[in-house]
């Protein structure tokens, strides 16, 4: 075993107890033995950090920080990983406060006493900002916070009060032009991009007509949807648009009082409301007005 000086933060002490090609393990002491923390090599340049300690989350956090810096500096690993049961919140807090960002959940990846359990994966790269820096801490918090989907659709009207709807290739319901906003894309930019991709033209956006919250539905997570005003146009606008032929197979004008059976129940609820009062901002929840 290569000689390794004890690791310490001034109070906690980690003494090397095992070192081979697969595992580097330390006994943890704070006046008395508290357990072990170790790094298990999984693939080249990558290690899994595992601990079994008494003394609570603070002791585990300090031990994991010490062994992580050792793994990067002395073992020359480029990435470390922690895997915990999502139901064990104390272990998740140890991972986060030790500098590991939440990266996702492996559904049913662990078999515990005959039961399939999820595994939450936390990762840290050697070049990640550490948790005692502002950027490091905010990146850690960002990795744990909810990521809500944002949808941007455009309501385009003609001079007779009809709304422009698209026949899409992936469902029977007619749909508004627009779609999901990409990461780091502002919603208005996403609406314009989707319109250009689908119709060949990005009409000017004149403002926001409605903001709607959508609950979970048929496998989709909940989302926030922004419905933009695409303006009022001559019915001949359709002749200038160029549906992409893949996602959008056709476009047509439809009267707000004739949408039942053509659009989703969500759009059947909200589109007549919005089209009847296009000068106001509609605050909606699942297509219905929010009431105090």
């Amino acid at each position: 075993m290569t000689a390794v000086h004890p690791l310490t933060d001034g109070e906690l002490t980690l003494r090397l107890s095992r070192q081979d090609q697969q595992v580097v393990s330390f006994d943890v002491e704070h006046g008395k033995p508290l357990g072990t923390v170790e790094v298990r090599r999984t693939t080249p340049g990558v290690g899994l950090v595992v601990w079994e300690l008494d003394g609570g989350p603070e002791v585990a956090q300090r031990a994991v920080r010490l062994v992580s810096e050792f793994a990067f500096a002395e073992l020359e690993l480029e990435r470390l990983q922690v895997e915990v049961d999502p139901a064990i919140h104390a272990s998740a807090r140890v991972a986060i406060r030790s500098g590991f960002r939440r990266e996702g959940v492996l559904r049913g990846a662990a078999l515990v006493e005959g039961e399939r359990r999820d595994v939450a994966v936390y990762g840290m790269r050697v070049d990640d900002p550490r948790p005692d820096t502002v950027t490091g801490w905010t990146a850690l918090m960002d990795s744990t916070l909810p990521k809500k989907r944002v949808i941007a659709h455009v309501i385009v009207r003609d001079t007779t009060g009809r709304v422009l709807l698209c026949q899409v290739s992936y469902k029977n319901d007619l749909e508004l032009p627009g779609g999901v906003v990409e990461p780091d894309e502002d919603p208005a930019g996403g609406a314009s991009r989707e319109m250009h991709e689908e119709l060949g033209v990005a009409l000017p956006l004149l403002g926001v007509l409605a903001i709607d919250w959508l609950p979970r539905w048929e496998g989709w997570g909940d989302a926030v949807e922004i419905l933009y005003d695409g303006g009022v146009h001559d019915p001949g606008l359709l002749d200038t648009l160029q549906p992409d032929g893949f996602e959008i197979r056709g476009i047509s004008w439809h009267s707000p009082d004739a949408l039942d059976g053509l659009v989703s129940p969500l759009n059947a609820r909200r589109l007549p409301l919005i089209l009847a009062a296009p000068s106001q901002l509609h605050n909606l929840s699942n297509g219905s007005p929010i009431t105090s």
Side-chain angles (χ1 to χ4, degrees), residues 113-176:
E113 297 180 351
E115 178 186 357
R116 281 287 165 194
R117 302 289 291 272
D118 293 347
V119 174
V121 178
Y122 295 78
M124 178 166 54
R125 291 169 51 99
V126 64
D127 54 354
D128 282 345
R130 296 303 185 252
D132 53 358
T133 66
V134 172
T135 54
W137 182 246
T138 54
L140 290 170
M141 290 298 95
D142 182 68
S143 75
T144 66
L145 294 174
K147 303 293 189 293
K148 196 177 295 290
R149 196 161 36 98
V150 176
I151 304 168
H153 277 126
V154 183
I155 296 178
V156 181
R157 295 163 284 154
D158 75 356
T159 51
T160 70
R162 297 178 298 178
V163 61
L164 177 68
L165 295 173
C166 305
Q167 178 63 62
V168 297
S169 60
Y170 51 87
K171 63 179 180 178
N172 293 326
D173 298 332
L174 300 182
E175 186 58 273
L176 295 165

Side-chain angles (χ1 to χ4, degrees), residues 57-271:
E58 183 180 352
V59 166
Q61 169 194 322
R62 290 161 58 189
V64 170
R65 283 197 186 191
L66 284 169
V67 80
S68 297
E69 294 305 327
F70 172 83
F72 287 137
E74 302 300 329
L75 303 181
E76 299 183 342
L77 297 182
E78 298 172 338
R79 171 184 164 84
L80 294 173
Q81 191 163 299
V82 170
E83 299 177 356
V84 303
D85 186 330
I88 304 177
H89 300 299
S91 296
R93 286 195 295 272
V94 170
I96 288 293
R97 293 181 179 276
S98 301
F100 291 77
R101 303 182 194 184
R102 183 180 172 95
E103 297 179 339
V105 175
L106 305 177
R107 296 180 300 121
L111 187 62
V112 180
E113 297 180 351
E115 178 186 357
R116 281 287 165 194
R117 302 289 291 272
D118 293 347
V119 174
V121 178
Y122 295 78
M124 178 166 54
R125 291 169 51 99
V126 64
D127 54 354
D128 282 345
R130 296 303 185 252
D132 53 358
T133 66
V134 172
T135 54
W137 182 246
T138 54
L140 290 170
M141 290 298 95
D142 182 68
S143 75
T144 66
L145 294 174
K147 303 293 189 293
K148 196 177 295 290
R149 196 161 36 98
V150 176
I151 304 168
H153 277 126
V154 183
I155 296 178
V156 181
R157 295 163 284 154
D158 75 356
T159 51
T160 70
R162 297 178 298 178
V163 61
L164 177 68
L165 295 173
C166 305
Q167 178 63 62
V168 297
S169 60
Y170 51 87
K171 63 179 180 178
N172 293 326
D173 298 332
L174 300 182
E175 186 58 273
L176 295 165
V180 176
V181 179
E182 297 291 341
D184 300 314
E185 180 179 50
D186 78 271
S192 295
R193 173 186 54 75
E194 286 279 350
M195 221 184 343
H196 189 272
E197 292 174 358
E198 294 173 349
L199 304 179
V201 175
L203 299 172
L205 303 180
L206 306 181
V208 176
L209 292 176
I211 298 174
D212 200 356
W213 172 75
L214 312 183
R216 290 182 175 272
W217 179 75
E218 293 191 355
W220 292 104
D222 75 321
V224 172
E225 183 171 0
I226 303 173
L227 293 107
Y228 288 95
D229 185 358
V232 178
H233 302 266
D234 184 273
L237 173 71
L238 261 59
D239 298 330
T240 69
L241 302 179
Q242 299 175 341
D244 63 13
F246 299 99
E247 184 176 350
I248 308 300
R249 293 183 173 174
I251 51 176
S252 50
W253 297 111
H254 293 271
S255 174
D257 59 2
L259 297 179
D260 283 340
L262 295 178
V263 298
S264 67
L266 170 69
N267 275 328
R269 284 193 299 275
R270 67 189 184 182
L271 283 179

